[in-house]
Amino acid sequence: MRSLIDIVDLTVEEIDELIATANDIIANPDKYAEKCHRKKLATLFFEPSTRTRLSFEAAMLELGGSVIGFSGASNSSAAKGESVSDTVRAVGCYADIIAMRHPKEGAPMIASMRSPVPIINAGDGGHNHPTQTLADLLTIQREKGKFDNLVVGMCGDLKFGRTVHSLIHAMSRYKGVKFVLISPDELKVPEYIIQELDKEGIPYEETTSLEDAMPSLDILYMTRVQQERFFNEADYIRLKDSYILNMDKLETAKKDLCIMHPLPRVNEISVAVDDDPRACYFKQVLNGKYIRMALILKLLEVA
Ligand code: NCD
């Protein structure tokens, strides 16, 4: 039985297979409509979510399965002090697979050690978010047709942004990828990730200037400043508007730049950018559903 806790739990070949399945689902949805008949997905969301939870639920429903779950720790027995291990042992009696989001880093991993069914990490604190990365990878594959030799700009809250951490780990495995890490000094990529990049000899540059970085980028991954992870409201207010992507800033960008954002957006991308053909963030949302369908099939070992 396999769980998905970290994106590197999947090999590059397995990611290729998931992408191939997702593309086949997009082309032939009817073929998949009953694949998970009588299977149940539980969504255990101890933290807010719109897209990720509904995307998992839509994915399971489109596979002919059904869904149970809760959103918000206050609605669950966690409010009574139950451990995540006990929660998943109980939920595993009702469901065939569990998607879990939790504010504590490592909680889905701990849960997977005691769970009778596969656990999917749907975001753990400021740590990882592997299924958002799968959505990002499917988007990059569909937009760019490749993962090699891309200059990947990541902009905003690179410290607390878990989608950034997982995407760096995923993209680090492809040849010729260079990262341009654009953030205020206070929100730089955590040191452990920088050390990994150094150790693997992966090229990266850290800068505070989106304008300077723009002309070189093939991908620009914008992120929200993660208010909920700040200890101090004044710091959040000072940093929240560090980067706002607008049409003026895109003037020096490549014609085939791919603009991404895991969403929700607060104001990092002005709405005028939404109509630019380079804006890919709503495509990411749709791709997220298809790749989660592929992942559910894989973890449930449904052929
Ligand atoms: C992200 C998350 O939850 O980490 N959202 C998502 O799942 N698409 C990004 C964010 O909240 O900023």
Side-chain angles (χ1 to χ4, degrees), residues 49-109:
S49 168
T50 303
R51 258 155 304 273
T52 305
R53 184 172 61 83
L54 294 181
S55 167
F56 270 114
E57 296 187 0
M60 192 50 152
L61 294 173
E62 287 194 26
L63 290 167
S66 48
V67 294
I68 57 175
F70 59 78
S71 57
S74 58
N75 299 329
S76 76
S77 285
K80 302 178 186 169
E82 188 175 47
S83 69
V84 288
S85 301
D86 283 1
T87 303
V88 297
R89 284 184 84 169
V91 174
C93 299
Y94 316 134
D96 302 284
I97 186 163
I98 295 173
M100 174 188 282
R101 169 169 289 189
H102 202 283
K104 281 214 186 88
E105 309 196 343
M109 199 261 287

Side-chain angles (χ1 to χ4, degrees), residues 4 10 14-26 32 35-36 55-56 58-63 97 120 131 134-135 138 286-303:
L4 176 65
L10 295 167
E14 285 176 315
I15 286 177
D16 286 345
E17 283 162 22
L18 287 173
I19 288 175
T21 305
N23 281 322
D24 194 51
I25 294 170
I26 293 169
Y32 293 88
K35 291 270 188 198
C36 286
S55 167
F56 270 114
M60 192 50 152
L61 294 173
E62 287 194 26
L63 290 167
I97 186 163
I120 302 173
T131 64
L134 290 174
L138 178 59
L286 188 57
N287 289 335
K289 180 185 71 176
Y290 293 122
I291 201 84
R292 288 184 176 99
M293 291 171 78
L295 179 67
I296 290 169
L297 291 172
K298 179 176 176 64
L299 297 182
L300 288 180
E301 298 176 17
V302 175

Side-chain angles (χ1 to χ4, degrees), residues 16-300:
D16 286 345
E17 283 162 22
L18 287 173
I19 288 175
T21 305
N23 281 322
D24 194 51
I25 294 170
I26 293 169
N28 309 292
D30 291 349
K31 205 168 113 186
Y32 293 88
E34 297 299 328
K35 291 270 188 198
C36 286
H37 181 60
R38 297 183 69 83
K39 300 276 187 200
K40 270 184 256 137
L41 164 82
T43 52
L44 310 187
F45 276 59
F46 297 88
E47 248 195 0
S49 168
T50 303
R51 258 155 304 273
T52 305
R53 184 172 61 83
L54 294 181
S55 167
F56 270 114
E57 296 187 0
M60 192 50 152
L61 294 173
E62 287 194 26
L63 290 167
S66 48
V67 294
I68 57 175
F70 59 78
S71 57
S74 58
N75 299 329
S76 76
S77 285
K80 302 178 186 169
E82 188 175 47
S83 69
V84 288
S85 301
D86 283 1
T87 303
V88 297
R89 284 184 84 169
V91 174
C93 299
Y94 316 134
D96 302 284
I97 186 163
I98 295 173
M100 174 188 282
R101 169 169 289 189
H102 202 283
K104 281 214 186 88
E105 309 196 343
M109 199 261 287
I110 299 291
S112 72
M113 289 157 63
R114 301 310 297 270
S115 175
V117 300
I119 300 280
I120 302 173
N121 177 4
D124 61 326
H127 194 211
N128 284 323
H129 193 345
T131 64
Q132 179 62 46
T133 298
L134 290 174
D136 301 339
L137 293 173
L138 178 59
T139 305
I140 293 170
Q141 190 273 336
R142 289 179 69 85
E143 297 301 313
K144 294 281 174 199
K146 62 171 190 178
F147 296 118
D148 295 349
N149 300 315
L150 293 171
V151 179
V152 182
M154 304 191 135
C155 178
D157 187 346
L158 310 187
K159 179 179 180 186
F160 296 117
R162 55 194 173 195
T163 64
V164 168
H165 307 157
S166 292
L167 187 57
I168 291 178
H169 283 134
M171 289 299 290
S172 293
R173 300 195 288 186
Y174 300 101
K175 278 202 201 69
V177 169
K178 179 186 168 187
F179 296 103
V180 183
L181 305 170
I182 310 152
S183 73
D185 283 335
E186 295 90 333
L187 298 178
K188 281 161 80 167
V189 167
E191 192 51 35
Y192 78 92
I193 295 183
I194 293 294
Q195 282 171 7
E196 287 165 10
L197 293 175
D198 284 336
K199 190 164 149 251
E200 300 293 325
I202 294 156
Y204 68 91
E205 197 183 297
E206 292 185 287
T207 175
T208 55
S209 170
L210 176 57
E211 284 83 349
D212 289 354
M214 190 66 85
S216 68
L217 305 179
D218 298 304
I219 290 166
L220 173 56
Y221 196 92
M222 296 295 296
T223 62
R224 170 180 75 88
V225 175
Q226 306 280 299
Q227 177 174 18
E228 64 275 34
R229 318 247 179 255
F230 277 69
F231 296 110
N232 176 335
E233 177 75 7
D235 284 347
Y236 170 69
I237 290 169
R238 184 167 52 80
L239 294 168
K240 73 183 173 63
D241 295 326
S242 298
Y243 303 99
I244 298 177
L245 182 66
N246 57 27
M247 290 309 293
D248 287 348
K249 293 207 180 106
L250 282 171
E251 242 160 51
T252 61
K254 288 190 180 171
K255 295 279 167 286
D256 63 348
L257 173 70
C258 176
I259 305 167
M260 302 176 68
H261 191 308
L263 303 179
R265 150 176 68 184
V266 182
N267 60 355
E268 313 76 52
I269 305 182
S270 85
V271 287
V273 175
D274 298 1
D275 296 327
D276 190 290
R278 292 169 289 188
C280 294
Y281 28 95
F282 289 106
K283 291 183 190 170
Q284 270 170 277
V285 179
L286 188 57
N287 289 335
K289 180 185 71 176
Y290 293 122
I291 201 84
R292 288 184 176 99
M293 291 171 78
L295 179 67
I296 290 169
L297 291 172
K298 179 176 176 64
L299 297 182
L300 288 180

